[in-house]
Amino acid sequence: MSCNSCSTGKGGQPKGCKNNGTCGTDSCNKLTVFDWLANMSLPQGEEPFIGVEVRFKNGRKEYYKNTENLTLSIGDVVATQAPSGHDIGMVTLTGELVRVQMKRKHVKIDDEEAVLKIYRKASQRDIDIWSEARDKEEPMKVKARQFAIDLKLHMKISDIEYQGDGSKATFYYTAEERVDFRELIKLFAKEFRTRIEMKQVGFRQEAARLGGIGSCGRELCCSTWLTDFRSVSTSAARYQQLSLNPLKLAGQCGKLKCCLNYELDSYLDALKDFPKTDIKLYTEKGAAVCQKTDIFRGHMWFAYEGEWMNWHKLTTDQANEIIALNKNKQKVASLEEYAAEHVEDVKSDFGNVVGQDSLTRFDSPKRKTKRKNTKSKTKKTGQPQQKIDQPVAQAKPVEKTAQKKRRKPNPKKSNPNDAK
């Protein structure tokens, strides 16, 4: 997912293009869209669509008209029309797929207020002014937060975005209540010497702009591909049998995670065959209450009232059958006769998935075996002597003595003093 300028450097460390998501090949951007219509040619006599999708800082995208018939491709830096002055952005999508995206977001190409024009491709001077303005944003954000703290305003300034020509700065902030920031704007205009625009965003939009790593280890969905924020309720966690722990269910934005809705439809389809868990099963042995459910396997565990430690596993069909009999004022003998049909012998079968030794190699110690002398004695003739099985005499115990055995002198080694 990285461009050539973002490849690894020396020693395998990431080099990075240091363009902060504005590289020319559009590989480091957020909310990128794959143009699956790029290799398809238009019919004869059909003019290309004049709409162009342009991306700005932190995933903010707008749609513009290419009235000058410029030859634009993905990654081109362009100067676009703004309410005052001009802005600098990067083209992220062109062609017929822009028409589909505008239809999905309910944006009409004829709306002059929502869809502005593209002036030209950005020159080097435009890019230099834009880069200088982007460098001012981080120190400006530190000062702006300090001003808000001094005025005791209950708000958080999360991000600052300069316009491409450097004539206006937009302050994005989050707040739980309405904030009177008229005095704050006066301080900003006096300190930063530019036009100020305050824009309030939600907590989910703040996380989408800033980005981050989720508890799953991947980048946040809202900052990479998710564009619409649907409401998430705690009922989605209940249907999926998740613990209602706010620390685990909340994301970096402080709200419920958007991924709770991803598999909710599958759980709802599987729960259609399940009876309600508060329904009791009446048997001649007593009433039974549901203790646990396995949604995708279609199993339910019931326990008699007063015997809460003994659970009996039933299928959804068996539970529905007993409920139907109870509605007709009939009772079954017991749950054991239904649960006996589902007794499974579970054997632990461990496989060698890593290609190493057996998992039970340390369970039983290996026996120590004495090494036998397999060397065959040979005669002078060179023929090996036949082995004769003879009973081995038991070795007599040797008494320990304090005296050490004297070594016999080796006649081959001569003493150098003897030569003298």
Side-chain angles (χ1 to χ4, degrees):
M1 295 298 294
S2 62
C3 57
N4 294 328
S5 57
C6 295
S7 59
T8 55
K10 295 181 179 180
Q13 297 181 354
K15 183 170 59 176
C17 57
K18 298 181 181 180
N19 287 323
N20 300 324
T22 58
C23 57
T25 56
D26 195 42
S27 298
C28 302
N29 293 341
K30 301 177 181 179
L31 303 178
T32 55
V33 180
F34 177 71
D35 191 0
W36 51 275
L37 294 175
N39 57 351
M40 299 180 66
S41 59
L42 296 173
Q44 294 181 356
E46 187 72 18
E47 295 182 357
F49 187 62
I50 61 173
V52 178
E53 185 185 71
V54 181
R55 175 190 170 274
F56 299 93
K57 182 184 178 182
N58 285 338
R60 182 174 70 89
K61 290 184 177 181
E62 301 291 341
Y63 296 97
Y64 294 90
K65 295 179 183 178
N66 185 11
T67 56
E68 301 295 331
N69 295 326
L70 300 174
T71 304
L72 299 176
S73 59
I74 296 176
D76 291 339
V77 182
V78 293
T80 62
Q81 183 182 359
S84 59
H86 68 274
D87 204 351
I88 302 296
M90 184 168 43
V91 177
T92 56
L93 202 62
T94 58
E96 291 297 319
L97 196 59
V98 181
R99 191 198 302 271
V100 180
Q101 293 288 90
M102 293 179 67
K103 184 179 180 180
R104 188 175 67 89
K105 295 183 179 180
H106 306 286
V107 179
K108 296 182 180 180
I109 192 67
D110 299 331
D111 191 356
E112 295 182 357
E113 295 182 358
V115 183
L116 302 178
K117 300 178 182 180
I118 293 178
Y119 288 145
R120 63 187 183 277
K121 288 187 177 181
S123 61
Q124 186 62 39
R125 178 176 174 79
D126 295 332
I127 296 175
D128 293 340
I129 296 174
W130 178 40
S131 300
E132 291 177 1
R134 291 284 295 269
D135 294 338
K136 298 178 184 178
E137 293 173 355
E138 197 62 29
M140 183 185 293
K141 183 167 61 176
V142 176
K143 292 182 180 180
R145 288 178 175 176
Q146 188 62 42
F147 288 152
I149 293 172
D150 295 340
L151 294 176
K152 298 181 180 180
L153 298 177
H154 298 284
M155 59 184 296
K156 176 188 175 184
I157 298 175
S158 58
D159 194 18
I160 299 175
E161 182 180 358
Y162 254 108
Q163 193 170 291
D165 55 358
S167 61
K168 186 182 72 171
T170 304
F171 289 75
Y172 295 91
Y173 71 95
T174 57
E176 295 182 356
E177 299 178 356
R178 187 175 180 179
V179 180
D180 186 8
F181 47 77
R182 289 177 293 182
E183 193 69 25
L184 184 64
I185 292 178
K186 294 179 181 179
L187 290 176
F188 286 171
K190 182 179 179 181
E191 177 70 21
F192 304 130
R193 302 290 183 177
T194 185
R195 291 189 298 111
I196 305 298
E197 180 182 355
M198 303 293 293
K199 185 174 290 186
Q200 185 176 1
V201 295
F203 293 99
R204 295 182 186 273
Q205 286 79 8
E206 179 191 13
R209 289 186 62 86
L210 301 180
I213 304 298
S215 59
C216 58
R218 299 174 61 89
E219 292 187 55
L220 299 180
C221 299
C222 54
S223 64
T224 52
W225 62 272
L226 190 63
T227 55
D228 54 341
F229 299 98
R230 299 180 181 179
S231 61
V232 186
S233 60
T234 55
S235 60
R238 291 192 183 97
Y239 285 126
Q240 300 177 48
Q241 298 181 352
L242 300 175
S243 61
L244 300 180
N245 188 354
L247 296 177
K248 293 183 178 180
L249 297 180
Q252 291 191 358
C253 57
K255 305 295 182 180
L256 293 176
K257 294 180 181 179
C258 298
C259 55
L260 292 176
N261 285 339
Y262 294 168
E263 298 179 355
L264 182 59
D265 295 337
S266 300
Y267 279 88
L268 292 176
D269 292 339
L271 285 171
K272 291 180 179 179
D273 300 330
F274 278 75
K276 294 183 179 179
T277 56
D278 56 350
I279 297 177
K280 295 182 180 181
L281 302 183
Y282 295 97
T283 64
E284 296 179 356
K285 193 175 179 180
V289 183
C290 180
Q291 300 293 321
K292 178 185 173 183
T293 57
D294 191 339
I295 297 176
F296 290 107
R297 291 186 179 181
H299 293 160
M300 302 180 70
W301 282 262
F302 289 87
Y304 291 110
E305 292 180 347
E307 299 180 2
W308 303 112
M309 298 301 295
N310 298 326
W311 291 8
H312 304 282
K313 184 171 70 172
L314 304 178
T315 62
T316 55
D317 296 336
Q318 292 174 345
N320 291 325
E321 181 182 352
I322 297 174
I323 292 172
L325 292 174
N326 294 152
K327 288 182 179 179
N328 297 329
K329 298 181 179 181
Q330 297 180 7
K331 294 183 180 180
V332 296
S334 62
L335 297 180
E336 283 80 352
E337 59 184 11
Y338 288 92
E341 300 177 359
H342 294 281
V343 176
E344 299 176 358
D345 295 334
V346 180
K347 296 181 179 180
S348 58
D349 186 13
F350 300 99
N352 187 7
V353 295
V354 293
Q356 296 180 356
D357 295 335
S358 175
L359 296 176
T360 60
R361 62 186 183 273
F362 298 113
D363 294 345
S364 57
K366 296 181 180 180
R367 296 180 179 178
K368 296 182 179 180
T369 57
K370 296 182 179 180
R371 295 179 62 182
K372 296 181 180 180
N373 189 6
T374 57
K375 295 182 179 180
S376 60
K377 297 180 180 180
T378 57
K379 295 183 180 180
K380 295 181 179 180
T381 56
Q383 295 180 359
Q385 187 179 1
Q386 295 181 357
K387 294 182 180 180
I388 302 173
D389 297 334
Q390 295 180 356
V392 180
Q394 295 182 355
K396 296 181 180 179
V398 181
E399 297 180 357
K400 295 182 180 180
T401 57
Q403 297 179 355
K404 296 182 179 179
K405 294 182 179 181
R406 295 181 180 179
R407 295 182 180 180
K408 296 180 180 181
N410 193 352
K412 294 182 180 180
K413 294 182 180 180
S414 59
N415 193 354
N417 296 326
D418 297 342
K420 296 180 180 180

